[in-house]
Structures are given as structure tokens and as C-alpha cells.
């Protein structure tokens, strides 16, 4: 039996928006095995990003619990949760979110900033990760000197430089053309094959081809209706 | 990659904004440095001027109502039956705790003698004021006193010879020809060479002309013969009409052994320490009058105090504005960097790490602001100081202020960055990354 990497139990999240209470998640329970790759799909406002942020230890749920590798994420203090994020999670954000005044290498070194290693070691680690994502010759370029695909690779390198067991990605191909998007998805697939557990929020049904499982969210809940899933995927293809 | 790399890179990226912050600190520090530099230079100049003024404390016998004036100082009428100062009083001054602030102790005995010139008929019977003093100390408390140089002496002699007022040549005593003229060109710093025997005197310029005596001449005072060691340069002061000689010689001449009429002191005190010195003197010499000639010092010190108050107020105000500029600009920069800070937090930076980045930025700019502020402030003080102080002052480049300027800038910069740093640390990463 596969080892469970992520266990979400009965997650709810409510927040106020313009005076009204919005129920972003309504009792989501989900287990993700170690080494699994999961695509989370759903329409805007379905709760995908909220789920990702809760799983990422950034957004405490109103109720329910999240365990990653057996650690109850929200039982940790805020500062311990920051350490947890650094050690267990890699984030790939929408629109890359690279720091514009740092080079590709420095961006990748960012998660290593607060750990006790010499600058040389940090450079070596970040350099090797950039090579792994195919950016060996562009380490000293600033983000605005890189193409969209290259920026995405830097963002992925930054997410995996600490060798976390879990990689979380929010719309990683949203701002890329199809060809570059496919290359990035292939990279995610390769990382997954190397043992990384991947959870990806995506609007693009094409991306599900690279993932071992796809879940659909609708109105803050997991949708288990296979017909609806097929419908969504085919809608994406059209 | 360390936190300071992030701080430094961000500063370099937001040059205009950071320049604004830098300017806020620079102006604050520069104002303080320039005000401090000018005030300190004014103080130094005043101390110099007060020192130049000479004596600033006068000790006289307690005379009650019986007084006369000597050089603007009220003295007891020496001929009356009042208690006189003595050598013991002078010795008592040497033993007070604040002795080190007293630059010179100049006791003197004043009296009248009857002068007879080289040619007895010329000045026979004329009463002259004789002042017995420790001449080296006397010259220290009266910085305006100068000996007539050899050249001046020869020129005066020439003029006198031409006009026929003073006989010269074969009538001049042999001693005149043996005078060491180099001895007469005494520099102020060379007072140790001013050593007279008890048979030698210094004569004031006006009195010398009246008596018709010159360097090397013999002059009879109350029946005793003295040699004129030198004539004093015209100074426009009371000394122009007096004869100076050793204290012991005057005491013998006036038949007042051990007596002293007045003791003048040149003390390098500030107004704060003046009270201590005066009370120590009064304690050591209970039956005398101790008078401080501090009016000038007081007036100037008051002016400086006012300037310090004004400068401090302006500096504090400017520093406060500078702090506000730094705080508001940094706070604005934090708001602009919301997403960036969200990324830092998401990838594992602790709140304290984020706060450290902001404080480090503040620190780096503060160090720079402090250094530049020092140079700008000193330059302003150096070039505009005399204008600001309305005095002829020299503002020295004070390196000790450099460290203080940097420390002050760091203090102000970090204080101003506390709020923005807290603001950054408290940012909700989920909100910053628009997850909610």
C-alpha cells in the first residue's frame, strides 16, 4: 500500500468579502500518496487556489486539518510553519513571481538564504538545479532578460532547490504558449518521476495528460462525477 | 546568498526612492554636524580670545571702603591700614585642587618711587609708579606686553639724537654698548629668557620718553640706581607709564618686604567650573577679595548657549523630519513589495527574516547617510561657519565626529524602519500572493 504524503481532512474555509461570508471550501477531504502527481481543476471561484494555499501552510482553514508527511501543518507556530514550508514544500506561483532585481541564480538561491551554508555551497547547489531545468547558460540573467518559459524554469528550480518532498504549482503554464507549456509539463512529469509528489492547480485540461490523477473542484467541494470530469476535459480541448 | 544581498540588491534597484531616504538622513546628520562643528569652533575661539585677554581673576586685600583704581580694577589704598597680601597667599593659591586650570599666577606690589634720570636734572623728583612682579608670569597675564626690539630701539635713538632731546654717543654709559640686543627681541613663547637681576628694570614707553631713558641707561629710583634692561613697546595700556621690576627688588625699594598688593590669575575655566575655582580660592584665602572678570566670557557664553539651543532645536526638528521621510518612504516601499514579501514568506522566510531585510536596507542607507552627512556637515561648517557664527573662526575637520555621525544616522534610520519592518513581517502571505 502506498504511503500517504498529504492528508486533508474535512477542510472548510470561510472568509468575508464585501461584508458577505464566502464559503471557499466546504468539507474537502483528500489523500495524496507519496510520488503521486495530482491535477486540480475547476472553474474560477471553485476553491482550487484556496485549497493550494491551505495545503501550502499559508492560509489556515476555518476547520479541518492538513497533514504533510505526518506533520499537522496548522498545529505548528507561524515561524515553525515557515521552516516547514522551506523544508517540505516547493512553490511554483502563477506568473512565476521571480524577484526582479535578482539574477536567475540568485532567485534560485533564495530558499537557501536562511539556511546555514556557505555562499559557495549555495551557488553550487542552485547552479546544479538550474542545469537540471536546462538553464545552464543563463544563470546570471535578470528575469526580464529571460523568456516566459525560461522564467518558469527558474521558478521551478527555485521550488525544488531545497529538495522538498512536495511540489505545489498554481497555474504554471497559464502564461505560456502551448509548446513551452508542454515542455514545462514534461519537466514536472520528470520531477515527479524522480520521486517528487506534485499537486498542480490548472485550467488547462491538456496538462492532465502529464499527471497521474485529476480532481475537479466545484463550489468548494471535490467533484466525483466522472461525467462532469469528462465534460470539463473535452470543453478544454475545444 | 544572504539577507544583506537581498537588501543591497533592492537598494540598487530602487535608486530614486532610496536616494530620497538617503537625503532625509543626510540632511538631518549634516545639520547636526555643522551646528556642532560651528559651536565647538566658536567655543575654542572664545577660549583663545579669553586667554588672549589675559588675567580673568583678581585677588586683592579686603579693603572695605578705602580703595583706588589700577587698570580698571579697584584696589585698596595701600597706604592705609589694611591687611596686605603676602607671599603666603601666593603659596596658598598653588595648593588649591583646581590649580591645573590656572595658567599664570601674577602677584605684584605697587607703589610710588621718586625717579632721577640719567641726567639728574631732567627728571629729578618725579613720582613714578613702580610695579614689582614675577615678570614671566606678568607677561603671561598681560599678553599685550612686548619689549621694544633692538631695531626699534636703534631707530628711536636715531630720531632722538637728530632732534637733540636725548644726548647720546660719548655720554652713554659703557653698559649700553654691552647690551645683548638679541635679548630684546623676545618672542612670547620665549619668556623663560626674561630674567632680570634686582638691579634691572623695564620702563613703559611713555614714561621712558618722559624720563628720557633708553635701554642700558641708568635710572635712580628713590635713591637706588637701576639699569634699564628694556623699554616696553607702546601698548596703550597703563604699563606705558610704569616701571616694572622684580617683586623682590620692589619690596626692597618700597621697604615693604613680603608684601603684595594684588594677585592676578589667568585661568582657563568654563563658566560651569568658574564657581568651583572661585570658592576654592575664597576658601584658601579667607580674608581677601576674589573678583572674576567674566563679563565678556559670560556674554559670549550666553550667545553660544543661545546658538546651541537654536541649533539643537533646528537639528532635532530636521532629524525628526528626516526620520519621518525615511519611515514613510520605507513604508511605501514595503507596500509596493507586497507580492515579493509574500514570495519570501511562502518559500520559507520567517517573519523575523523579512523584518531583517527591511532593517538591513535601513542600516545600509543609514551608514551611507551618516558618512555623507558628516562630510556635507563639516563642509558647511568649514565654509559657512564664519558667516553663521559672525566670528572669525576656523572649523577643524573633526574625525571623532565621523563615528558619531554614522551611529546617529544608524539610530535614526533603524528607529524609522521599525514600523515598516513590522508591517512587512505582519504581511499575510496568502493575501500578498492573492490566494484569497
Amino acid at each position: 500500500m502506498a504511503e500517504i504524503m498529504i492528508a486533508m481532512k474535512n477542510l472548510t474555509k470561510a472568509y468575508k468579502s464585501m461584508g458577505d461570508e464566502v464559503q471557499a471550501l466546504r468539507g474537502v477531504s483528500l489523500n495524496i500518496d507519496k510520488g503521486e502527481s495530482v491535477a486540480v481543476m475547476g472553474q474560477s471561484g471553485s476553491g482550487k487556489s484556496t485549497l493550494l494555499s491551505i495545503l501550502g501552510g499559508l492560509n489556515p482553514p476555518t476547520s479541518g486539518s492538513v497533514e504533510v508527511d505526518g506533520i499537522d501543518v496548522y498545529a505548528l507556530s507561524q515561524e515553525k510553519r515557515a521552516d516547514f514550508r522551506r523544508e517540505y514544500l516547493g512553490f511554483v506561483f502563477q506568473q512565476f513571481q521571480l524577484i526582479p532585481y535578482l539574477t536567475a541564480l540568485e532567485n534560485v538561491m533564495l530558499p537557501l538564504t536562511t539556511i546555514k551554508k556557505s555562499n559557495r555551497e549555495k551557488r553550487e547547489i542552485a547552479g546544479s538545479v538550474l542545469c537540471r531545468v536546462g538553464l545552464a547558460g543563463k544563470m546570471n540573467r535578470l528575469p526580464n532578460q529571460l523568456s516566459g518559459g525560461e522564467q518558469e524554469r527558474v521558478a521551478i528550480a527555485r521550488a525544488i532547490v531545497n529538495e522538498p518532498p512536495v511540489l505545489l504549482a498554481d497555474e504554471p503554464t497559464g502564461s505560456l504558449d502551448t509548446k513551452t507549456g508542454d515542455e514545462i509539463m514534461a519537466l514536472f512529469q520528470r520531477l515527479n518521476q524522480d520521486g517528487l509528489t506534485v499537486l498542480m492547480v490548472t485550467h488547462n485540461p491538456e496538462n492532465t495528460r502529464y499527471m497521474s490523477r485529476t480532481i475537479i473542484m466545484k463550489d468548494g467541494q471535490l467533484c466525483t462525477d466522472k461525467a462532469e470530469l469528462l465534460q470539463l476535459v473535452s470543453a478544454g480541448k475545444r | 546568498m544572504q539577507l544583506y544581498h537581498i537588501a543591497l540588491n533592492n537598494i540598487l534597484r530602487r535608486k530614486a526612492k532610496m536616494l530620497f531616504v538617503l537625503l532625509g538622513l543626510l540632511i538631518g546628520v549634516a545639520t547636526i554636524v555643522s551646528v556642532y562643528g560651528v559651536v565647538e569652533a566658536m567655543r575654542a575661539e572664545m577660549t583663545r580670545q579669553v586667554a588672549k585677554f589675559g588675567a580673568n581673576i583678581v585677588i586683592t586685600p579686603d579693603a572695605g571702603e578705602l580703595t583706588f583704581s589700577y587698570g580698571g580694577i579697584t584696589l585698596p589704598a595701600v597706604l592705609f591700614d589694611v591687611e596686605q597680601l603676602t607671599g603666603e597667599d601666593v603659596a596658598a593659591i598653588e595648593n588649591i585642587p583646581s590649580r591645573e586650570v590656572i595658567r599664570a599666577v601674577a602677584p605684584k606690589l605697587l607703589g610710588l618711587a621718586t625717579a632721577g634720570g640719567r641726567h639728574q636734572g631732567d627728571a629729578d623728583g618725579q613720582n613714578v609708579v613702580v610695579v614689582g612682579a614675577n615678570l614671566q608670569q606678568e607677561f603671561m597675564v598681560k599678553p599685550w606686553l612686548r619689549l621694544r626690539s633692538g631695531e626699534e630701539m636703534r631707530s628711536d635713538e636715531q630720531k632722538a639724537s637728530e632732534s637733540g632731546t636725548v644726548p647720546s654717543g660719548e655720554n652713554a654709559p659703557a653698559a649700553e654698548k654691552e647690551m645683548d640686543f638679541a635679548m630684546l627681541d623676545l618672542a612670547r613663547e620665549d619668556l623663560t629668557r626674561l630674567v632680570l637681576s634686582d638691579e634691572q628694570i623695564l620702563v613703559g614707553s611713555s614714561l621712558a620718553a618722559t624720563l628720557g631713558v633708553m635701554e642700558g641707561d641708568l635710572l635712580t629710583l628713590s635713591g637706588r640706581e637701576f639699569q634699564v634692561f628694556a623699554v616696553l613697546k607702546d601698548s596703550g595700556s597703563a604699563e606705558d607709564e610704569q616701571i616694572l621690576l622684580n617683586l623682590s627688588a620692589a619690596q626692597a625699594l618700597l621697604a615693604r618686604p613680603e608684601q603684595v598688593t594684588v594677585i592676578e590669575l589667568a585661568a582657563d575655566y568654563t563658566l560651569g567650573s568658574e564657581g568651583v575655582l572661585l570658592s576654592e580660592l575664597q576658601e584658601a584665602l579667607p580674608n581677601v577679595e576674589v573678583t572674576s572678570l567674566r563679563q565678556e566670557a559670560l556674554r559670549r557664553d550666553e550667545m553660544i548657549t543661545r546658538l546651541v539651543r537654536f541649533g539643537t532645536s533646528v537639528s532635532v526638528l530636521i532629524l525628526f523630519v528626516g526620520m519621518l521621510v525615511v519611515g514613510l518612504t520605507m513604508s511605501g516601499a514595503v507596500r509596493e513589495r507586497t507580492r515579493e514579501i509574500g514570495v519570501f514568506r511562502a518559500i520559507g522566510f520567517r517573519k523575523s527574516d523579512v523584518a531583517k531585510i527591511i532593517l538591513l536596507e535601513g542600516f545600509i542607507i543609514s551608514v551611507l547617510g551618516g558618512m555623507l552627512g558628516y562630510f556635507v556637515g563639516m563642509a558647511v561648517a568649514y565654509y559657512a561657519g564664519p558667516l553663521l557664527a559672525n566670528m572669525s573662526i576656523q572649523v577643524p575637520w573633526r574625525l571623532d565626529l565621523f563615528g558619531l555621525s554614522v551611529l546617529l544616522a544608524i539610530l535614526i534610520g533603524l528607529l524609522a524602519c521599525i514600523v515598516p519592518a513590522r508591517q512587512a513581517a505582519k504581511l499575510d502571505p496568502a493575501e500578498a500572493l492573492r490566494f484569497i
Side-chain angles (χ1 to χ4, degrees), chain A residues 53 58-59 78-79 82-83 85-86 91 93 97 99-102 106 109-110 113-114 119 122 170, chain B residues 1-3 5-6 9-10 13 337 339-340 343 345-346 348-353 430 433 435-436:
Chain A
S53 65
L58 297 169
N59 191 10
Q78 282 202 23
E79 296 296 68
D83 297 341
R85 284 196 293 271
R86 190 175 59 242
F91 272 101
F93 305 99
Q97 302 291 358
I99 307 302
Y101 51 86
L102 299 178
E106 288 167 340
M109 284 165 78
L110 265 184
T113 305
T114 54
N119 273 342
K122 290 176 186 177
D170 189 13
Chain B
M1 171 72 66
Q2 305 289 345
L3 291 177
H5 284 120
I6 300 173
N9 277 305
N10 181 55
R13 174 203 174 201
R337 295 164 75 187
R339 286 207 143 205
E340 185 182 313
V343 171
R345 296 281 284 125
F349 280 46
R350 288 178 162 211
K351 284 182 172 188
S352 54
D353 295 325
L433 291 165
F435 279 124
I436 47 177

Side-chain angles (χ1 to χ4, degrees), chain A:
Chain A
M1 191 175 160
E3 196 181 330
I4 293 174
M5 177 54 84
I6 299 168
M8 292 179 255
K9 282 182 199 152
N10 206 20
L11 287 178
T12 67
K13 179 70 184 180
Y15 55 85
K16 296 251 183 209
S17 174
M18 318 263 289
D20 298 328
E21 190 172 274
V22 178
Q23 203 68 39
L25 292 183
R26 302 163 191 264
V28 174
S29 294
L30 176 70
N31 286 345
I32 298 171
D33 292 338
K34 197 171 185 177
E36 203 178 357
S37 61
V38 178
V40 183
M41 292 191 68
Q43 291 174 334
S44 292
S46 61
K48 308 182 298 288
S49 292
T50 305
L51 183 74
L52 193 75
S53 65
I54 290 175
L55 179 56
L58 297 169
N59 191 10
T62 307
S63 66
S65 69
V66 180
E67 282 186 16
V68 175
D69 204 16
I71 298 168
D72 185 349
V73 177
Y74 289 96
L76 300 171
S77 68
Q78 282 202 23
E79 296 296 68
K80 288 276 177 203
R81 223 184 298 151
D83 297 341
F84 161 80
R85 284 196 293 271
R86 190 175 59 242
E87 288 167 28
Y88 283 85
L89 306 176
F91 272 101
V92 179
F93 305 99
Q94 235 174 351
Q95 282 144 15
F96 330 125
Q97 302 291 358
L98 299 178
I99 307 302
Y101 51 86
L102 299 178
T103 63
L105 186 71
E106 288 167 340
N107 263 290
V108 177
M109 284 165 78
L110 265 184
L112 305 172
T113 305
T114 54
I115 63 170
K116 283 196 174 102
K117 275 194 166 80
S118 69
N119 273 342
R120 201 176 138 205
E121 275 180 287
K122 290 176 186 177
R123 278 183 180 278
E124 280 171 8
I125 296 169
S128 71
V129 177
L130 274 172
C131 291
R132 196 170 155 198
V133 298
L135 284 177
K138 298 183 174 174
M139 291 187 191
N140 294 317
R141 295 207 183 166
L142 288 169
N144 62 6
Q145 296 167 328
L146 297 169
S147 69
E150 287 166 342
Q151 288 187 48
E152 186 66 56
R153 284 169 194 273
V154 175
I156 293 168
R158 183 176 66 185
I160 62 171
V161 71
N162 263 344
E163 297 179 354
V166 178
L167 184 60
L168 305 176
D170 189 13
E171 303 273 10
T173 59
S175 48
L176 301 176
D177 60 67
T178 312
K179 185 173 172 279
T180 313
D182 283 343
E183 284 169 13
I184 294 299
M185 285 312 296
L187 179 59
F188 273 108
Q189 194 175 37
R190 215 164 58 234
L191 292 171
N192 176 238
Q193 283 160 0
D194 290 345
L196 218 59
T197 304
V198 179
L199 183 92
M200 178 188 294
V201 167
T202 180
H203 271 114
N204 187 354
E206 286 291 316
N207 291 346
T208 58
R209 287 191 290 128
Y210 297 91
M211 312 304 276
S212 57
R213 179 154 61 123
T214 301
I215 57 172
I216 306 279
M217 289 203 65
K218 190 179 178 186
D219 299 329
Q221 288 176 309
L222 292 181
C223 177
T224 48
D225 187 344
K226 288 202 173 169
E228 195 161 351
L229 171 61
L230 282 171
Q231 192 186 347
L232 266 169
V233 171
S234 58
K237 280 178 178 169
R238 277 202 299 274

Side-chain angles (χ1 to χ4, degrees), chain B residues 48-171:
Chain B
R48 199 184 66 77
Q49 284 188 9
V50 168
K52 198 174 153 192
F53 180 70
N56 42 25
I57 294 177
V58 178
I59 297 168
T60 54
D62 197 353
E65 298 298 313
L66 306 169
T67 59
F68 77 93
S69 178
Y70 160 71
I73 302 158
T74 303
L75 298 174
V78 288
L79 297 175
F80 291 89
D81 186 20
V82 290
E83 200 168 333
Q84 296 292 320
L85 294 169
T86 65
E88 282 176 23
D89 296 317
V90 179
I93 294 170
E94 296 295 334
N95 296 324
I96 65 166
S98 300
R99 173 65 183 89
E100 75 277 3
V101 301
I102 302 174
R103 213 170 354 100
V105 179
K108 61 191 75 65
L109 175 67
L110 280 78
L112 295 174
T114 313
R118 203 166 40 174
H119 302 278
Q120 295 292 317
D122 292 346
D124 204 14
Q126 182 176 338
N127 281 338
V128 292
V129 176
V130 293
V131 179
N134 175 335
L135 292 171
Q136 290 169 5
Q137 297 288 310
E138 193 66 13
F139 270 60
M140 280 177 76
V141 299
K142 290 178 177 163
W144 56 88
L145 291 184
R146 293 279 188 287
L147 301 187
R148 197 165 67 170
S149 69
E151 201 175 303
E152 287 166 327
M153 188 187 91
R154 279 188 292 274
S155 137
D156 286 355
E157 195 170 358
Q158 179 80 24
K159 279 183 212 160
S161 171
E162 281 164 10
S163 62
T165 52
V166 177
S168 59
E170 68 280 4
N171 291 334

Side-chain angles (χ1 to χ4, degrees), chain B residues 236-370:
Chain B
S237 62
E239 286 74 21
D240 291 350
E241 299 285 350
Q242 295 170 355
I243 288 174
L244 285 174
L245 67 169
N246 283 340
L247 181 58
S248 53
Q251 285 167 340
L253 177 71
L254 299 171
R256 287 157 63 189
E258 280 301 306
Q259 284 187 15
V260 173
T261 314
V262 59
I263 305 168
E264 285 184 288
L265 306 180
D268 294 326
Y269 57 71
T270 59
L271 282 181
S273 64
E274 181 202 19
V276 178
L277 178 62
L278 293 180
S279 65
E280 281 176 12
L281 286 169
Q282 200 69 71
E283 201 177 312
L285 308 165
N287 300 316
V288 304
E289 290 271 354
V290 179
T291 312
S292 164
L293 308 178
R294 61 174 193 150
Q295 289 311 310
E296 180 64 7
L298 189 69
R299 192 183 69 76
R300 290 195 171 224
D301 209 81
E302 201 176 308
M303 190 181 87
I304 285 194
T305 307
R306 259 190 251 140
L307 189 80
V308 168
R309 269 194 214 133
F310 175 72
T312 309
S313 314
V314 171
S315 301
V316 167
L317 192 74
I318 290 179
L319 262 188
F320 182 73
V321 172
M323 203 163 112
L324 218 62
V325 167
V326 174
L328 289 175
T329 314
M330 291 301 279
S331 187
V334 166
R335 274 195 299 278
E336 276 177 24
R337 295 164 75 187
T338 301
R339 286 207 143 205
E340 185 182 313
I341 291 166
V343 171
F344 290 151
R345 296 281 284 125
I347 63 175
F349 280 46
R350 288 178 162 211
K351 284 182 172 188
S352 54
D353 295 325
V354 172
K356 272 183 210 162
I357 293 174
I358 306 298
L359 290 174
L360 270 171
E361 285 173 13
F363 178 80
I364 293 168
I365 297 174
S366 300
V367 170
L368 208 62

